[in-house]
C-alpha cells in the first residue's frame, strides 16, 4: 500500500494471483506457443494457464478449445480477436476441465 493506504499495482496483482491460484495444483509447463512461457494448474472449476512473454514483446496466442475467459495480471478481462490474444505481460487463461 502507498502512504495514503491505497493499493499499489503490485498489491492488486498479488491479490488476484492469490485468488486465482489459491487452491490450484500445478500440472506442468505450457510449451506449445513460440516465445511464450507458461504454467498449467488445475482448480476446482477447471484449469488455469498463466502465460507471459519473457521478452515482454507481444506474441499472438491462439486460445485453445474450452477457453472460458482471459484475464490480465490485475484480474481485468482481455478481449481477443478470432480466438487469438496478444500476450506480453502475464495473463490468466481460464479453461474448462
Amino acid at each position: 500500500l502507498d502512504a495514503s493506504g491505497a493499493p499499489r499495482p503490485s498489491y492488486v496483482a498479488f491479490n488476484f494471483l492469490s485468488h486465482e491460484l489459491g487452491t490450484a495444483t500445478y500440472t506442468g509447463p505450457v510449451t506449445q506457443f513460440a516465445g511464450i512461457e507458461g504454467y498449467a494448474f488445475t482448480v476446482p472449476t477447471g484449469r488455469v494457464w498463466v502465460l507471459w512473454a519473457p521478452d515482454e514483446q507481444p506474441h499472438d496466442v491462439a486460445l485453445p478449445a474450452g477457453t472460458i475467459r482471459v484475464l490480465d495480471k490485475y484480474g481485468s478481462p482481455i478481449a481477443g480477436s478470432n480466438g487469438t490474444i496478444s500476450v506480453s505481460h502475464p495473463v490468466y487463461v481460464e479453461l474448462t476441465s
Side-chain angles (χ1 to χ4, degrees):
L1 305 176
D2 65 17
S4 68
R8 294 179 190 246
S10 59
Y11 176 89
V12 175
F14 183 75
N15 188 48
F16 179 67
L17 167 81
S18 297
H19 171 75
E20 188 76 355
L21 299 178
T23 60
T25 302
Y26 173 73
T27 58
V30 177
T31 59
Q32 61 260 51
F33 306 112
I36 296 293
E37 289 194 28
Y39 296 109
F41 300 87
T42 57
V43 294
T45 58
R47 299 175 292 145
V48 175
W49 288 357
V50 181
L51 307 174
W52 69 95
D55 63 6
E56 297 184 355
Q57 298 301 309
H59 296 266
D60 287 340
V61 170
L63 295 172
T67 298
I68 299 168
R69 64 182 181 163
V70 181
L71 305 164
D72 70 11
K73 61 186 172 185
Y74 304 115
S76 299
I78 296 175
S81 176
N82 297 322
T84 301
I85 59 167
S86 180
V87 174
S88 55
H89 298 286
V91 299
Y92 297 83
V93 180
E94 295 179 348
L95 304 142
T96 58
S97 4

